[in-house]
Amino acid sequence: MTVALTGAFADPPRDAARAFRGALRALSRPGTIVTLAGAAGPAPLSPAAAALLLTLADATTPLHLAGAHDCAALRDWVRFHCGAPLTGAEDAAFALGTWPALAPLDRYRIGTPDYPDRAATLIVEVEDLTPDGARLSGPGIRGQARLSLPETAAFRANHDLFPLGWDCFLTAGERLAGLPRSTQVEAA
Amino acid sequence: MSPGDSDSPYNFAYLDEDTKRMIRRAILKGVAVPGYQVPFASREMPMPYGWGTGGVQVTAACLVPEDRLKVIDQGADDTTNAVSIRKFFERTAGIATTETTTEASLIQTRHRIPETPLTEDQILVYQVPIPEPLRFLEPRETETRKMHALEDYGLMHVKLYEDIARHGAIATSYAYPVRVGDRYVMDPSPIPKFDNPKLSDNAALQLFGAGREQRIYALPPYTKVVSLDFEDHPFQATKAEHDCDLCGASDSYLDEVILDDRGGRMFVCSDTDFCTRRRAAGHVGCLGEPA
């Protein structure tokens, strides 16, 4: 069997439910790192990002693959498992790639004042994810939290647009953290 | 055939996977913009609108097989609505249920917040009839949407002011409007205003589902939620001036129960689990009998 056909959840309704609860916990408590297991896609896709795609992406969510993630193997895998139409950054509901590959960040949808929910969700593949580094505060955070972020300036600029702005998941292996636009980010 | 079986006639938690993905995306956007009402393609559920179709869809999208579900209707675990919804998910998701607040990982509620403080490991799902706090002041969706976009909430303060002008105090006693994180004005669903202080800085994630009106919104944990008021008429969380007649609690929200047609009545905790556990612990109210 080719790699495009493998790697989906063994028990889709229950595995996706568990993956969503992990993602919900991560996004509603920024700085919290959760584990998403049970999915595997072709390199360079991380297991956590694969689980996130299987849980959230489908034929109604245009997906932008950035940089090295825009490879034939991953395109085939996404088409087979999610059916998400592949698109440019400007039209994407989800965008997937490394932090440098996703730039420039002002291309993504940030919603409109009437409908701030019509904004992109970035899935950022990072080398490592640890609860240290940039200081986070805002909804979902008791006092202050810390999270290793690729940079802080872009997140600060995004937060300044609130209630507009994109939202972000960070993935490393099976680990996942969330960073919604509502979070204030300060350099460590 | 037992509910958890793979040959159960229902998909896990009733809804199909496409629908759950759509609801899950809406929930995540709601979490990202606290207090903003995210439109979603609400499905017909096997129960009438007004019975919690919004809450049920949010619960269905959030449930995992390991969950222990509690459902309350006006604080009670044993009313028709609560029992039906619990049975619905026992049958379609094969999950465990409980009536004990501290044992539950997910609580669906109609119009109350449990008296027992919630924890970081719990999710509270509200059933919402009319999610738009400005709807009775401005019936046009196009206009209320613009008012939220422009943060134009003067009309809501006019409404509260008219309460004071007419009644001498803010007479709104349930569905009392709140401001979330200094941005969106939100309808907390028809919970008594006694419960409003529990909305703010709560350790649990709070999700709101309105089925007929097709809206989902959220309060992430530890979010600042302020009940609207005036400096000279500050918000007051009111309840009946009485203690519970069964358990003697002086700090819980009370229901008034009419006992006869000669003015007889008693006050009891609206939160049945809270009252039951107090009585089991030996507390007795003035009409109660020792457990």
Side-chain angles (χ1 to χ4, degrees):
Chain A
M1 217 164 15
T2 73
V3 67
L5 306 185
T6 62
F9 290 133
D11 180 0
R14 288 166 186 81
D15 290 346
R18 293 188 186 103
F20 171 70
R21 271 292 269 281
L24 179 62
R25 185 170 182 85
L27 198 72
S28 62
R29 299 172 192 276
T32 302
I33 296 170
V34 300
T35 303
L36 296 196
L45 187 67
S46 68
L52 210 51
L53 286 181
L54 292 173
T55 304
L56 297 175
D58 59 27
T60 64
T61 57
L63 171 69
H64 175 62
L65 298 175
H69 284 75
D70 189 17
C71 61
L74 188 45
R75 282 197 298 266
D76 288 346
W77 189 86
V78 164
R79 275 196 204 99
F80 181 76
H81 291 287
C82 308
L86 300 175
T87 177
E90 291 77 6
D91 304 316
F94 292 98
L96 170 68
T98 61
W99 186 248
L102 286 167
L105 295 164
D106 56 4
R107 300 179 295 165
Y108 299 99
R109 284 166 37 183
I110 57 169
T112 64
D114 285 4
Y115 292 95
D117 56 301
R118 295 178 182 175
T121 303
L122 311 184
I123 303 170
V124 187
E125 300 259 40
V126 293
E127 285 289 316
D128 198 14
L129 207 49
T130 53
D132 51 37
R135 283 180 291 152
L136 316 180
S137 58
I141 302 165
R142 185 179 201 175
Q144 205 174 69
R146 285 176 178 272
L147 187 63
S148 53
L149 294 178
E151 66 164 295
T152 55
F155 291 101
R156 267 214 310 279
N158 184 53
H159 172 72
D160 287 343
L161 301 170
F162 188 87
L164 306 187
W166 35 260
D167 306 299
C168 191
F169 283 108
L170 300 118
T171 51
E174 291 188 342
R175 290 152 68 78
L176 172 98
L179 201 79
R181 65 191 89 168
S182 59
T183 302
Q184 285 164 271
V185 178
E186 289 167 283
Chain B
M1 186 158 40
S2 75
D5 282 356
S6 54
D7 49 349
S8 159
Y10 295 105
N11 188 35
F12 176 71
Y14 185 77
L15 294 171
D16 62 273
E17 291 304 297
D18 277 333
T19 299
K20 280 193 267 180
R21 268 193 294 272
M22 173 270 295
I23 296 173
R24 284 165 179 163
R25 290 191 296 263
I27 293 173
L28 291 175
K29 286 303 174 195
V31 164
V33 190
Y36 165 74
Q37 304 160 50
V38 183
F40 81 110
S42 177
R43 299 297 195 242
E44 264 194 79
M45 298 301 285
M47 61 187 73
Y49 289 129
W51 287 50
T53 52
V56 161
Q57 289 178 78
V58 171
T59 298
C62 288
L63 275 181
V64 294
E66 295 75 25
D67 265 324
R68 188 170 283 274
L69 176 70
K70 171 182 164 85
V71 183
I72 50 174
D73 175 1
Q74 305 272 16
D77 291 277
D78 51 4
T79 56
T80 310
N81 198 198
V83 172
S84 305
I85 292 172
R86 243 182 357 251
K87 280 197 176 153
F88 175 75
F89 283 115
E90 278 172 4
R91 184 162 168 204
T92 60
I95 44 103
T97 57
T98 180
E99 296 192 1
T100 309
T101 303
T102 48
E103 282 177 7
S105 54
L106 197 152
I107 303 172
Q108 181 172 330
T109 175
R110 176 173 172 274
H111 312 351
R112 271 314 307 279
I113 300 176
E115 305 288 356
T116 311
L118 302 178
T119 68
E120 296 202 347
D121 296 317
Q122 293 178 311
I123 295 178
L124 185 60
V125 176
Y126 295 75
Q127 303 172 197
V128 183
I130 310 281
E132 177 51 72
L134 304 165
R135 182 61 69 234
F136 291 109
L137 308 171
E138 171 51 69
R140 288 168 295 180
E141 168 69 12
T142 47
E143 291 304 303
T144 52
R145 191 160 282 284
K146 205 175 292 170
M147 289 157 79
H148 283 294
L150 298 173
E151 252 180 286
D152 179 5
Y153 295 128
L155 200 55
M156 186 57 92
H157 276 102
V158 171
K159 187 230 175 207
L160 296 176
Y161 169 75
E162 285 181 347
D163 260 14
I164 295 169
R166 207 169 292 158
H167 308 288
I170 298 177
T172 306
S173 58
Y174 65 95
Y176 191 103
V178 295
R179 186 100 187 236
V180 178
D182 297 322
R183 181 57 181 82
Y184 285 97
V185 164
M186 185 191 95
D187 181 333
S189 86
I191 58 171
K193 67 176 171 183
F194 174 82
D195 281 342
N196 270 28
K198 298 181 208 159
L199 293 164
S200 190
D201 211 35
N202 200 315
L205 169 65
Q206 300 172 80
L207 302 174
F208 299 77
R212 180 184 46 215
E213 302 290 322
Q214 314 201 322
R215 296 289 185 274
I216 286 172
Y217 50 106
L219 289 176
Y222 308 117
T223 299
K224 181 178 147 200
V225 180
V226 178
S227 302
L228 300 181
D229 62 359
F230 298 98
E231 277 174 19
D232 51 346
H233 284 274
F235 170 80
Q236 282 177 312
T238 53
K239 65 183 270 288
E241 295 280 340
H242 213 279
D243 293 347
C244 173
D245 282 325
L246 293 179
C247 77
S250 60
D251 55 351
S252 77
Y253 190 72
L254 302 174
D255 286 338
E256 184 179 354
V257 181
I258 306 294
L259 297 176
D260 51 39
D261 58 0
R262 296 186 300 280
R265 56 184 185 163
M266 69 187 291
F267 290 91
V268 296
C269 290
S270 123
D271 186 332
T272 52
D273 169 57
F274 179 77
C275 199
T276 306
R277 281 188 301 113
R278 272 182 59 85
R279 273 181 291 160
H283 298 279
V284 184
C286 55
L287 295 179
E289 293 167 7

